[in-house]
Amino acid sequence: MTGNGGDGSVPGQRDTTALDLRRGTPVRDVPAPSPAPAAAVPTPGGHETTAIDRGQVPPPPAAAVPAPPRGVEQHLDEILSAVPLPDPIELAVLDAQGLLCAEEVVSQRALPAFDQAALDGYAVRALDVEGATPAEPARLSVVGETVAGLSGPSSIGPGMAHAVAAGAMLPAGADVVVPGVWTDGGTVEVAVHAGPEPGSYVRRAGDDVAPGTTAVQVGTPIGPAQISLLAAVGRDRVQVRPRPRVAVLSAGSELVEISTDPGPGQVVDVNSYALAAAARDAGAEAYRWGILPAERRRLSEVLESQLLRSDLLLIAGTLATEGDLVQEVLAELGPMQFSQVTMHPGPVQAFGRLGRDSVPVICVPGEPVAALVAFEVFVRPAIRVMLGKRQLFRRTVQAIAAEQLLSPLGYRQYLHGQVMRHPDGGYVVEPLGDGGEAMLARMARANCLIVVDEDVTEVAAGGLVTVMPLLLGG
Amino acid sequence: MTGNGGDGSVPGQRDTTALDLRRGTPVRDVPAPSPAPAAAVPTPGGHETTAIDRGQVPPPPAAAVPAPPRGVEQHLDEILSAVPLPDPIELAVLDAQGLLCAEEVVSQRALPAFDQAALDGYAVRALDVEGATPAEPARLSVVGETVAGLSGPSSIGPGMAHAVAAGAMLPAGADVVVPGVWTDGGTVEVAVHAGPEPGSYVRRAGDDVAPGTTAVQVGTPIGPAQISLLAAVGRDRVQVRPRPRVAVLSAGSELVEISTDPGPGQVVDVNSYALAAAARDAGAEAYRWGILPAERRRLSEVLESQLLRSDLLLIAGTLATEGDLVQEVLAELGPMQFSQVTMHPGPVQAFGRLGRDSVPVICVPGEPVAALVAFEVFVRPAIRVMLGKRQLFRRTVQAIAAEQLLSPLGYRQYLHGQVMRHPDGGYVVEPLGDGGEAMLARMARANCLIVVDEDVTEVAAGGLVTVMPLLLGG
């Protein structure tokens, strides 16, 4: 909520999201003379891909990112193994919706609480109606009527019937309910045309849940059906895994507030909005803090106070340059590792555990498309760990690529696409745009991420690729 | 929140959910003498199924439900054609998450706002580097450096290069960015080893979104990517289809509050909780009102005030009996049609438009399993209509039945089941429990509804059935 304007001291949004992979990688015709520049120029980092390697562009020097490049899995593993599982909390059942049950809910009650008719009919003694037929019906005296909700206990003896509605208490002495349509429907005397087996159409107390048995287990996601069951066993509160509190902050001297008209070189802060929405979508209680202040002391205060009130800090903005103020202040709060992760878009990602309580802090790139991709890859699974979920990752499917896909060798590439069901079964996926620019408008049209593995440089049209549907509703 | 105890005047929960279809329907061995009772007894309503027809049970007489039985589609169509589409409202972008955009968002800005470098390198004139090779590089003077967020405009002339970071403004005069790795990385003079085509690695102002073009269309679901795009074009508020306000109420003299130990014949109110959760899950802003008062004037007041503040009233409890107070009071507020719908569980459902504003009111059965099934079938699609969604219904799949399924002829049956992926592809579904009792504990273990059509009485083990996955997360 606090703007810091563009004072020019902090280099900002510096990602490689916007690379034109189709033109910039060796796997495609490069409109450049041979020998191909990527092959001809010695590349210190050992990268295979011209367009990804930024170490050659001075300044900042390559030394600004001291750690060697690491794989997506390595970075993800580091995050997932370090995020804590917050302690369970007790919530009102309706507030527990969407969370995981964190206790073994043992019912103190029987469900149903009393023997009851399972349908409308007559409660009778099975013995009295045994062998009845339409030709030779059993004739019984109707001694009363019970509807659901009436509490007066009743009873029958031999030769008697009691009219009952579904859900009504079974009169003492009765052991079966004869469905109304098996009778003549009499009100004083009833003719029963068939005798059900003893116990038929009777719901016994505890049939659904017996006292002392578990109604809802630890780890069960609480949806409407679980809320129904919890309420039925008398629980208005339940222990659950809480939503992790995620503070979302943006870094970058080029950033201005959404309501401000950006001046030359300035960019509106979109990441604090988009990442807060994504965090909420993943199950977190997300707070959008906004643009980090440019003043050192104030910056330090903001970060410290957010560390105190959050389970996870999420910062967007590339901070991997020398002399970056945010990076410096983070370093004062604890060990923060900036890494070149072999992914595209990316590649600069960071993770650390800072402050007195070692709160996990994840930094994602400042370029908005790269920020949301990094969220999918690293942050969403981390939030799900904190929620106690077993299924951390989105389901992926194999889909037929509608077009040729190119990808830099050694980098895992995430492309936005439109996945559709194939008329003959399975899925087809179409990458959005020309694969060159990382565009917000294209991302907004996507319904999936296409994942091209590190060792693949080309997927032919008609070939199979891995697709991660994003399930944004509609 | 107001209990009404069991004063005995209002017959309550009277559904057929709990029927043992396996034993009670003609399609299975009935432990009764032949001729089968269902065939032998004239059935006034024309129903084919012993266990479903409750008209024979006196009292209440069959006349309590005056309308003829109707199909599921007919009842659903009546509801869907009558629920209104609330007017769009303007919300802050983060509050718009999960809703449908209700305006054509035309960007007043260009995105990006200025020509910029798409990656780290040197901004140059294409002419100056044309034909360059590693053996015969083009040598240019480095006249400056620009990082993202710096606003000072710069320019180059012939023979000059300007070091640029990704996202930095392109200096005037430059028409291409040479990737850093295609150069020797010089800081005073740079040797360029290859000349990209004019325009390469440059993002032009408006490439993503041009001023005057549509950024987000009417009807687009607003997720993190759309929020990113809306923020980028400077929108902090947006017109959306609002969440319909749904008030959830329970009716039934047998009902007691969740925190109360139910006495004999009493049942805890679970429906106001479960249906509020289900309504929220479907996208509504749900208010749990709780148990309707038993006193006539107070009941009338509650219903009238809820009609004033809601877009939809949802009432659980079977009210289709003569002399039912809730039914009487509803009738005073407008036309309310109670129907026997040919579905199981069910069958009594109701719909009307009541009060000054003709607010839709849906009544579902009081038995908790039947209530949530009716919610899925009738209420969830109605809420989605009100949200403006095009896709009203859950996706269904065909699955192999792991067991034989029996279903009453003429009734559409909904059974809770566990659907799993088949190792050879496709799905297998297992019904939960023995199909007899409608149990909360079983419903809570289900991940789908199995739908058996009206004209099907038996699905053999290994046969295909329609399955509606419920997607409860996990």
Side-chain angles (χ1 to χ4, degrees):
Chain A
M1 320 287 177
T2 303
N4 64 347
D7 68 357
S9 64
V10 186
Q13 208 160 287
R14 297 187 57 263
D15 309 309
T16 59
T17 314
L19 299 188
D20 186 334
L21 288 169
R22 305 236 165 162
R23 288 186 294 186
T25 61
V27 293
R28 198 167 183 233
D29 298 335
V30 176
S34 61
V41 180
T43 324
H47 295 182
E48 304 265 357
T49 310
T50 309
I52 292 292
D53 194 321
R54 300 154 57 229
Q56 295 289 317
V57 184
V65 180
R70 48 162 63 181
V72 171
E73 301 302 338
Q74 188 192 345
H75 190 62
L76 179 63
D77 286 350
E78 194 198 329
I79 293 173
L80 296 188
S81 62
V83 291
L85 186 63
D87 288 334
I89 58 169
E90 193 174 63
L91 290 181
V93 284
L94 274 182
D95 294 331
Q97 187 172 6
L99 300 174
L100 295 192
C101 189
E103 61 170 315
E104 208 72 12
V105 178
V106 175
S107 178
Q108 305 303 318
R109 297 183 183 165
L111 212 66
F114 46 87
D115 295 350
Q116 58 187 245
L119 81 178
D120 296 356
Y122 295 87
V124 303
R125 291 158 22 112
L127 211 63
D128 288 350
V129 294
E130 200 182 345
T133 65
E136 290 182 40
R139 295 186 188 280
L140 304 172
S141 306
V142 180
V143 298
E145 179 206 343
T146 313
V147 296
L150 289 189
S151 55
S154 54
S155 66
I156 60 165
M160 297 178 195
H162 201 101
V164 285
M169 276 187 88
L170 198 71
D175 57 1
V176 73
V177 173
V178 180
V181 287
W182 297 19
T183 72
D184 68 354
T187 53
V188 176
E189 188 187 75
V190 63
V192 173
H193 300 128
E197 278 187 298
S200 294
Y201 309 121
V202 169
R203 283 194 280 176
R204 294 284 172 198
D207 260 3
D208 201 343
V209 178
T213 61
T214 298
V216 179
Q217 291 182 319
V218 170
T220 305
I222 295 181
Q226 288 70 32
I227 288 173
S228 184
L229 182 55
L230 286 166
V233 302
R235 293 294 297 265
D236 54 358
R237 303 184 80 77
V238 65
Q239 295 265 346
V240 289
R241 291 275 159 212
R243 299 192 185 281
R245 297 160 302 166
V246 176
V248 183
L249 311 102
S250 294
S253 61
E254 77 279 20
L255 298 181
V256 294
E257 290 296 333
I258 195 170
S259 50
T260 309
D261 254 328
Q266 292 186 324
V267 180
V268 163
D269 164 36
V270 310
N271 284 323
S272 67
Y273 291 89
L275 291 172
R280 195 195 284 167
D281 191 63
E285 200 169 297
Y287 299 98
R288 189 188 76 84
W289 200 90
I291 304 169
L292 281 168
E295 197 271 307
R296 188 186 188 103
R297 214 181 86 185
R298 179 85 183 105
L299 172 62
S300 196
E301 277 171 12
V302 167
L303 287 171
E304 281 179 51
S305 72
Q306 291 305 311
L307 285 171
L308 283 180
R309 70 188 67 186
S310 309
D311 298 306
L312 173 70
L313 246 62
L314 180 53
I315 305 175
T318 302
L319 314 163
T321 49
E322 253 180 321
D324 180 276
L325 186 64
V326 177
Q327 199 178 4
E328 276 178 32
V329 173
L330 288 172
E332 289 166 11
L333 295 166
M336 189 82 199
Q337 178 64 62
F338 283 82
S339 308
Q340 291 264 357
V341 176
T342 52
M343 65 185 285
H344 182 267
V348 180
Q349 312 282 345
F351 179 68
R353 294 189 66 176
L354 309 186
R356 197 186 59 193
D357 299 327
S358 296
V359 173
V361 178
I362 303 179
C363 294
V364 298
E367 197 285 321
V369 172
L372 279 179
V373 167
F375 183 92
E376 275 298 323
V377 177
F378 303 118
V379 188
R380 190 172 183 277
I383 288 173
R384 292 179 67 86
V385 166
M386 297 173 93
L387 283 163
K389 303 258 186 193
R390 276 158 295 191
Q391 180 63 47
L392 301 184
F393 304 107
R394 292 195 196 266
R395 192 168 71 87
T396 58
V397 296
Q398 294 295 305
I400 296 166
E403 295 175 19
Q404 185 197 38
L405 301 172
L406 299 171
S407 180
L409 183 64
Y411 283 70
R412 187 177 300 181
Q413 184 173 213
Y414 297 89
L415 293 166
H416 283 97
Q418 271 279 357
V419 63
M420 293 147 283
R421 291 185 166 274
H422 193 281
D424 301 339
Y427 299 92
V428 188
V429 67
E430 208 160 342
L432 286 174
D434 63 7
E437 310 293 297
M439 294 210 171
L440 286 177
R442 285 175 190 158
M443 174 170 77
R445 292 203 327 268
N447 67 1
C448 71
L449 281 176
I450 305 169
V451 186
V452 186
D453 279 346
E454 289 83 345
D455 57 350
V456 176
T457 55
E458 180 182 349
V459 178
L464 278 180
V465 282
T466 300
V467 162
M468 189 193 286
L470 294 176
L471 296 171
L472 284 177
Chain B
M1 320 291 179
T2 303
N4 64 348
D7 68 359
S9 64
V10 187
Q13 207 159 288
R14 297 188 54 261
D15 310 309
T16 59
T17 314
L19 301 187
D20 185 334
L21 289 169
R22 305 238 163 162
R23 287 186 296 186
T25 62
V27 293
R28 197 166 182 236
D29 300 333
V30 176
S34 61
V41 179
T43 323
H47 296 183
E48 305 265 357
T49 309
T50 310
I52 292 292
D53 194 321
R54 300 153 58 231
Q56 294 289 317
V57 182
V65 180
R70 49 162 63 181
V72 171
E73 301 302 337
Q74 187 191 345
H75 190 63
L76 179 63
D77 287 349
E78 192 196 331
I79 293 173
L80 296 189
S81 61
V83 291
L85 186 62
D87 288 334
I89 57 170
E90 193 174 63
L91 290 180
V93 284
L94 274 181
D95 295 331
Q97 186 171 7
L99 299 174
L100 295 192
C101 189
E103 62 170 314
E104 208 72 10
V105 178
V106 174
S107 179
Q108 305 304 317
R109 297 183 184 167
L111 211 65
F114 46 88
D115 294 351
Q116 58 187 246
L119 81 178
D120 296 355
Y122 295 86
V124 302
R125 291 159 21 111
L127 211 61
D128 288 350
V129 294
E130 200 183 347
T133 65
E136 291 182 41
R139 295 187 189 278
L140 304 170
S141 305
V142 180
V143 297
E145 178 206 344
T146 314
V147 297
L150 288 189
S151 55
S154 54
S155 65
I156 60 166
M160 297 179 196
H162 200 101
V164 286
M169 275 186 88
L170 199 71
D175 58 0
V176 74
V177 173
V178 181
V181 288
W182 297 20
T183 73
D184 68 354
T187 53
V188 176
E189 188 187 76
V190 63
V192 173
H193 301 128
E197 278 186 298
S200 295
Y201 309 122
V202 169
R203 284 193 280 177
R204 294 284 172 200
D207 260 4
D208 202 343
V209 178
T213 60
T214 298
V216 179
Q217 291 181 318
V218 171
T220 305
I222 295 180
Q226 287 70 32
I227 288 174
S228 185
L229 182 56
L230 285 167
V233 302
R235 293 294 298 263
D236 54 358
R237 305 182 79 78
V238 65
Q239 294 266 346
V240 288
R241 290 276 159 211
R243 299 192 185 281
R245 298 159 301 165
V246 176
V248 183
L249 312 100
S250 295
S253 61
E254 77 280 19
L255 297 180
V256 293
E257 289 297 333
I258 195 170
S259 50
T260 309
D261 254 328
Q266 292 185 326
V267 180
V268 164
D269 163 35
V270 310
N271 284 323
S272 66
Y273 291 89
L275 292 171
R280 195 194 287 166
D281 192 63
E285 199 168 296
Y287 299 98
R288 190 188 77 84
W289 200 89
I291 305 169
L292 282 168
E295 197 271 307
R296 189 186 188 105
R297 214 181 86 186
R298 179 84 184 104
L299 173 61
S300 196
E301 277 170 12
V302 168
L303 288 171
E304 281 179 51
S305 72
Q306 291 305 311
L307 285 171
L308 283 180
R309 70 188 66 188
S310 308
D311 298 306
L312 173 70
L313 246 61
L314 179 53
I315 306 176
T318 302
L319 313 162
T321 49
E322 253 182 318
D324 180 277
L325 186 64
V326 177
Q327 199 178 3
E328 276 178 33
V329 173
L330 288 172
E332 289 166 11
L333 295 165
M336 188 83 198
Q337 178 64 60
F338 283 83
S339 309
Q340 291 266 355
V341 176
T342 53
M343 65 185 284
H344 182 266
V348 180
Q349 312 283 345
F351 179 67
R353 295 189 65 176
L354 309 186
R356 198 187 57 192
D357 300 325
S358 297
V359 173
V361 178
I362 302 179
C363 293
V364 298
E367 198 284 321
V369 172
L372 279 180
V373 168
F375 182 91
E376 274 298 322
V377 178
F378 303 117
V379 187
R380 191 172 182 278
I383 289 172
R384 291 179 67 87
V385 165
M386 296 173 94
L387 283 163
K389 303 259 186 192
R390 275 158 295 192
Q391 181 61 49
L392 302 183
F393 305 107
R394 291 195 197 266
R395 193 168 70 88
T396 58
V397 296
Q398 295 294 305
I400 295 165
E403 294 175 20
Q404 186 198 36
L405 300 172
L406 299 170
S407 181
L409 183 64
Y411 283 71
R412 187 178 300 181
Q413 185 172 212
Y414 297 89
L415 292 166
H416 282 99
Q418 271 279 357
V419 64
M420 292 145 285
R421 292 186 165 275
H422 193 283
D424 301 339
Y427 299 91
V428 188
V429 67
E430 207 160 342
L432 286 173
D434 63 7
E437 311 292 298
M439 293 209 171
L440 286 177
R442 285 176 190 156
M443 174 170 75
R445 292 201 330 266
N447 68 359
C448 72
L449 281 176
I450 305 168
V451 186
V452 187
D453 279 345
E454 289 83 345
D455 57 350
V456 176
T457 57
E458 180 181 349
V459 178
L464 278 180
V465 284
T466 301
V467 162
M468 189 193 288
L470 294 176
L471 297 172
L472 284 177

